[in-house]
Amino acid sequence: MRKTVDTLIATCCIENSWSLFYSDRDFDPFVECPGLRSVLLEH
């Protein structure tokens, strides 16, 4: 189960066709979601 805030952020990105730029590994499971464009930012 992911955090509620992480789920809301990913959902907003999908619904608005925004790219998700993230460095928090909590978002890794969302990468598999259809319609989510994501970019992992390395430190």
Side-chain angles (χ1 to χ4, degrees):
M1 177 56 91
R2 302 285 25 132
K3 295 177 192 169
T4 302
V5 172
D6 295 344
T7 303
L8 289 172
I9 292 169
T11 300
C12 284
C13 288
I14 292 169
E15 289 181 347
N16 293 292
S17 299
W18 297 336
S19 295
L20 173 65
F21 292 85
Y22 71 100
S23 61
D24 183 350
R25 294 287 187 183
D26 287 348
F27 286 103
D28 284 347
F30 293 107
V31 173
E32 302 298 321
C33 292
L36 180 63
R37 297 177 305 190
S38 60
V39 177
L40 175 61
L41 303 173
E42 299 293 330
H43 287 62

